[in-house]
Amino acid sequence: MLKLVERMLAGELPALARLITLVEREAPQTPEVMKEIHPYLGKAHVVGVTGPPGGGKSTLVDRLTQVARGQGLSVGIIAVDPTSPFSGGAVLGDRIRMQRHYLDPGVFIRSMATRGSRGGLPRGVRGVIKLLDAFGKDLILVETVGVGQTELDIVETADTVVVVLVPEAGDAVQTLKAGLMEIASIFVVNKADLPGADRLALEIESMLRLSPANFEWRPPVVVTQALNDIGVEEVYRAVEEHRQHLQASGELERRRLQQRREELWQ
């Protein structure tokens, strides 16, 4: 096991893939692996992309990866898919939207099945994030499965949470009441070519202004057409600004400490 970790730390992709499989299956060797990679953690910025189904999360992740690669960053993608009722593995329908990155050596894509999780993320996803971090990824994008309003595990996993909504997703007020308001670092109103996009963005901004919470960071609302590369760079800039805010305020270390505490209790 130690040799496998050493190979992974040396940059071998097959070793990384094998270790991810071990962690995903919660193999007995997982604690040993986590112990060995611990000194190499904390460098990657983890961005969660969540929201109701059909919002264009996979397309946005694909376009954000393109922007990051254009800046020379190494990217890891964890795409959480529904669980196949036959094999128990991930249903890989959304991965076709990321096919441009499959042959890019600077991008590592891993699909994971929910395996019964109701919070949008499988149990092993934190271990996989740590492996990608230790492997040297600068940016890790975690796309949740899109189960809707109960999908709040991502706030305990990511440094920055991007909530993707679309005009056709239903009553925005009810969606935000369900918890997405509290966890969002950035709101994205995608598919802006649909009727009602501007109204939805205004509704979100109005709710943010009326919120009793004292935001040190007020989540920006970015209107996009991810499929047409419109607004994606603005989302990426908002992610960078949030990362800088977390580091300058000390919130990044506090948040990661809380995440480690929650992981220990779980």
Side-chain angles (χ1 to χ4, degrees):
M1 185 57 59
L2 182 58
K3 288 184 178 180
L4 193 61
V5 172
E6 289 176 348
R7 286 168 49 199
M8 185 272 291
L9 293 174
E12 290 191 23
L13 280 172
L16 172 63
R18 286 184 60 189
L19 287 170
I20 288 177
T21 299
L22 287 173
V23 170
E24 190 176 5
R25 293 176 178 174
E26 299 181 334
Q29 303 96 322
T30 298
E32 180 186 351
V33 172
M34 294 298 107
K35 179 181 177 181
E36 292 296 328
I37 67 173
H38 181 74
Y40 304 93
L41 302 181
K43 298 175 183 176
H45 189 68
V46 183
V47 177
V49 180
T50 188
K57 295 189 294 296
S58 293
T59 303
L60 182 62
V61 167
D62 174 73
R63 300 305 194 267
L64 287 172
T65 301
Q66 185 176 352
V67 175
R69 290 296 293 141
Q71 297 190 9
L73 299 181
S74 180
V75 181
I77 300 173
I78 301 173
V80 181
D81 288 291
T83 304
S84 166
F86 302 103
S87 67
V91 178
L92 307 180
D94 285 345
R95 299 298 72 77
I96 193 170
R97 297 182 180 91
M98 301 181 194
Q99 60 186 341
R100 76 174 77 189
H101 302 299
Y102 274 130
L103 299 180
D104 185 345
V107 179
F108 184 90
I109 304 173
R110 181 70 173 214
S111 289
M112 297 181 67
T114 53
R115 298 184 185 274
S117 169
R118 296 182 180 179
L121 295 177
R123 285 180 56 181
V125 73
R126 291 178 182 175
V128 177
I129 289 172
K130 290 178 181 178
L131 286 169
L132 291 172
D133 188 1
F135 188 70
K137 294 301 178 185
D138 302 301
L139 178 67
I140 300 173
L141 298 167
V142 182
E143 179 198 342
T144 67
V145 72
V147 295
Q149 298 173 346
T150 60
E151 194 171 308
L152 304 180
D153 282 354
I154 192 67
V155 74
E156 298 175 357
T157 306
D159 303 318
T160 299
V161 178
V162 178
V163 174
V164 183
L165 300 171
V166 288
E168 60 192 17
D171 186 348
V173 175
Q174 294 302 320
T175 301
L176 295 175
K177 278 182 180 178
L180 293 180
M181 166 73 85
E182 287 77 13
I183 72 169
S185 312
I186 300 161
F187 285 102
V188 171
V189 177
N190 195 29
K191 302 185 181 180
D193 53 323
L194 295 177
D198 291 337
R199 182 171 60 85
L200 175 57
L202 287 173
E203 286 181 0
I204 298 171
E205 289 174 350
S206 297
M207 290 192 66
L208 290 171
R209 286 195 296 269
L210 294 172
S211 173
N214 181 20
F215 287 114
E216 290 186 13
W217 165 266
R218 184 168 296 277
V221 182
V222 185
V223 179
T224 67
Q225 293 181 45
L227 190 62
N228 298 319
D229 282 326
I230 297 174
V232 177
E233 291 195 4
E234 286 81 353
V235 177
Y236 188 86
R237 281 199 296 271
V239 169
E240 276 295 295
E241 289 171 4
H242 187 247
R243 180 184 64 81
Q244 293 168 9
H245 164 76
L246 291 175
Q247 291 177 336
S249 64
E251 179 63 24
L252 183 63
E253 183 55 37
R254 287 194 295 271
R255 183 171 296 193
R256 289 182 174 178
L257 180 63
Q258 179 63 28
Q259 289 170 356
R260 290 194 293 271
R261 185 179 292 116
E262 291 291 335
E263 185 178 2
L264 175 64
W265 281 114
Q266 288 183 14

